[in-house]
Amino acid sequence: MSDSHAAPKGRTSDAGKSGERRTGPLTFYRQVVAELRKVVWPTREQLSTYFFVVLAFVLVMITIVSLLDLGLGKLVFAVFTGADDV
């Protein structure tokens, strides 16, 4: 065990602090524009590559989920109805 005193846990509210003001709409807009200028935007080639990779991944996932749904649906139907010709 340690002899140090632990600080109480929990969040303190910023609303009670005096001297701090909220950011105005104009300052907020300027800060947003400044942050967007820092963003490294993808090139057209990168964007098309990302698009096709995501499209292929989504199609594979749709196929997997569809096959699982079909298989489990037939299994449940066979179990609860006792049908052999499903």
Side-chain angles (χ1 to χ4, degrees):
M1 291 222 149
S2 135
D3 291 329
S4 65
H5 298 286
K9 292 184 179 180
R11 293 183 159 216
T12 58
S13 174
D14 290 338
K17 292 184 179 179
S18 61
E20 289 190 28
R21 294 180 40 195
R22 292 182 59 149
T23 303
L26 187 60
T27 304
F28 176 75
Y29 176 75
R30 287 181 183 159
Q31 290 174 349
V32 167
V33 170
E35 288 298 320
L36 285 176
R37 286 188 180 142
K38 295 178 187 177
V39 174
V40 179
W41 298 98
T43 63
R44 184 175 298 270
E45 182 181 321
Q46 290 173 330
L47 195 60
S48 63
T49 301
Y50 297 158
F51 171 76
F52 288 117
V53 167
V54 169
L55 185 65
F57 176 76
V58 168
L59 290 175
V60 167
M61 293 307 295
I62 287 172
T63 304
I64 291 170
V65 169
S66 297
L67 291 174
L68 282 172
D69 181 50
L70 180 66
L72 292 174
K74 286 190 176 218
L75 178 69
V76 167
F77 185 72
V79 167
F80 287 110
T81 61
D84 293 332
D85 59 344
V86 177

